[in-house]
Amino acid sequence: MPFPLYLLAMAVFAMGTSEFMLAGLLPDIASDLGVTVGTAGTLTSAFAVGMIVGAPLVAALARNWPRRSILLGFILAFAAAHAVGAITTSFPVLFATRVVAALANAGFLAVALTAAATLVSPDRKGRALAVLLSGTTVATIAGVPGGSVLGTLLGWRAAFWAVAALCLPAALGIVKAIPAGRVKEEVTGGPALQAELAQLTRPPLILVMLLGALVNAATFGSFTFLAPVVTDTAGLGELWISVVLVLFGAGSFAGVTVAGRLSDQRPGLVIAFGGPLLLIGWPALAVLANEPAALFILVFVQGALSFALGSTLITRVLYEAVEAPTMAGSYATAALNVGAAVGPVIGAATLSTEAGDLGPLWASGLLVAVALLIAFPLLTAITAGRSTEVLR
C-alpha cells in the first residue's frame, strides 16, 4: 500500500479518537456540565449529523481545491474545535464544537476516501479502505482507552486537549507527503457534479448505503453507552471501561483487517456469515453483560463483526458509486454517519425503559435484524452491482 495512505490513516486515527472517546467520558461530561448521561450522549449524534451534512457539501466544494491544502485546513479546524471544547463550561457551546469538528472531519474523510481509492488499482479499493479505516480501529484500541484513562485521572477536558495535540503531527505528515494537485484533476475526463449527484438515484447505491447505515447505527448505539454497562451492570470500576474499549477496538481492528482482504472479491461471504453472528451477538451481550468474562469476550467479538460487516458494506458504496469518482467518498461517509447519528439517539431512548443500561444492546440487535431482512433477499444485487466488471 502507498505510504501516503498510512499518513491519511494517522489523521483518521486522531479524528477517530475524538469520535469514539466520548463513550468513556459521558458520565464525567454529564456531571461537570449538569446534564443527564442521555443528553451528553447526543454529542455523538451531533458529531454524526455534522458529518452527514458536511460530507457531500464539502466534497462538492473541494472538487476544485488543492487536495493538500484542503486536507490540512480540515485537520487544523478539527484541532481548533477541540481546543474550544476543552475550555468551555457550556453544554450548548460544547455541542456546537462537536458539529464544527464533525464538519471538518467529514470534509477530511470524504476527500481522503476518494484519495485512497485513487492511490491503488481499481480491484484493491477494499484493501485501501481497510488501511484508512485502520486509523479508526487503532483509535479504539489505543486512543480511545487512553482518552478514557486521561479523562478518569485528569478530567474529560484533558482528553480534548490531547486530541488537539494529536492533530499536529498528522498535519505535518499531510504537508510532507500528499500531492498538491486539485481533486478533480486526478479524475481525467471525469463526470460533471450533476452527473455524480445523479448516482444517488440508483437503487443499488441507495441499498448499500442504507445497509451500511443500519449496521453502523447498531455499532454506535451500543458502543456509545458501554460505560454504564461496565460500571453498573457488570459492577466493575471506572478503569475497567478502558479495558472494555480496548477489547472492542482490538476486535474492530481484527474485523476490518480480515474484511479488507475479502470485501473486494468475496463480499457475499462476509455478509452471509458475519451478519447472522452479529445479530446473535448483541442480545447475547445483553443477557450475559453481568458476567465480566462473558462481557469481555463478547465485546471483542462484536467489535470484530461490526467492523467487518460495516466496512464491507461501505466498500460496496465505493464500488456502486464508481461513476461518481470525486463524490463516492462523501456518499460512504454519509452512510457511515447516518448510522452514527441515529444509533445513539435510539440507544439513549432505551435507557429510560425497563431494559435500562442494556436497552442499547437490545436495540442494536433489532437494527441488525432489520438490515439482514433487507439484505438477504437482495444479496446477489448487493455483492455484484456495477463493480462486476472490476471484480472479474
Side-chain angles (χ1 to χ4, degrees):
M1 291 286 106
F3 180 67
L5 191 57
Y6 293 96
L7 294 174
L8 293 176
M10 182 174 68
V12 172
F13 166 77
M15 295 179 171
T17 297
S18 171
E19 185 171 8
F20 283 100
M21 74 179 181
L22 289 183
L25 301 177
L26 287 183
D28 194 13
I29 292 173
S31 176
D32 187 21
L33 299 184
V35 298
T36 66
V37 172
T39 299
T42 63
L43 292 172
T44 300
S45 294
F47 196 92
V49 169
M51 291 194 71
I52 294 167
V53 174
L57 176 63
V58 175
L61 294 174
R63 283 163 55 92
N64 297 310
W65 293 357
R67 174 161 283 163
R68 180 196 297 161
S69 297
I70 194 170
L71 289 173
L72 180 62
F74 285 140
I75 199 166
L76 292 178
F78 188 83
H82 282 76
V84 173
I87 62 176
T88 187
T89 58
S90 167
F91 182 79
V93 172
L94 181 61
F95 190 94
T97 66
R98 297 304 289 171
V99 174
V100 172
L103 290 171
N105 192 359
F108 183 93
L109 190 56
V111 175
L113 281 168
T114 302
T118 62
L119 291 173
V120 298
S121 58
D123 62 342
R124 302 187 77 192
K125 291 180 182 179
R127 293 285 299 275
L129 181 63
V131 171
L132 195 64
L133 289 181
S134 70
T136 298
T137 58
V138 171
T140 61
I141 297 171
V144 176
S148 179
V149 171
L150 193 61
T152 300
L153 299 177
L154 300 177
W156 65 271
R157 297 177 190 278
F160 272 63
W161 282 118
V163 169
L166 275 174
C167 293
L168 301 182
L172 180 62
I174 290 169
V175 171
K176 294 292 186 180
I178 301 301
R182 299 176 188 272
V183 175
K184 194 174 181 180
E185 288 172 357
E186 296 187 10
V187 184
T188 305
L193 177 59
Q194 185 176 0
E196 294 199 46
L197 293 175
Q199 293 298 306
L200 288 172
T201 62
R202 296 183 55 247
L205 177 57
I206 295 172
L207 175 62
V208 291
M209 289 177 68
L210 172 62
L211 294 175
L214 284 168
V215 171
N216 209 41
T219 304
F220 271 81
S222 287
F223 183 84
T224 301
F225 299 105
L226 275 180
V229 174
V230 174
T231 57
D232 298 341
T233 304
L236 300 173
E238 287 188 359
L239 287 177
W240 284 98
I241 295 173
S242 300
V243 175
V244 170
L245 295 179
V246 167
L247 288 171
F248 187 92
S252 65
F253 181 78
V256 79
T257 300
V258 172
R261 299 180 179 278
L262 295 174
S263 58
D264 287 314
Q265 306 293 343
R266 299 176 181 272
L269 185 67
V270 178
I271 297 171
F273 284 90
L277 292 175
L278 183 63
L279 172 61
I280 295 170
W282 287 124
L285 182 55
V287 171
L288 299 173
N290 61 328
E291 298 290 340
L295 173 66
F296 296 156
I297 293 171
L298 286 170
V299 161
F300 176 87
V301 171
Q302 290 304 96
L305 293 171
S306 293
F307 273 77
L309 188 58
S311 65
T312 296
L313 290 169
I314 295 306
T315 299
R316 301 314 302 167
V317 173
L318 295 178
Y319 276 118
E320 289 295 345
V322 68
E323 294 186 16
T326 69
M327 294 295 292
S330 71
Y331 301 159
T333 301
L336 278 169
N337 287 283
V338 165
V342 173
V345 172
I346 295 174
T350 66
L351 294 174
S352 59
T353 67
E354 292 184 3
D357 294 337
L358 301 177
L361 302 177
W362 290 107
S364 292
L366 180 60
L367 288 167
V368 173
V370 172
L372 295 183
L373 286 173
I374 296 171
F376 271 69
L378 302 169
L379 190 58
T380 301
I382 293 168
T383 57
R386 293 193 177 187
S387 62
T388 303
E389 69 275 8
V390 175
L391 298 180
R392 291 180 180 174

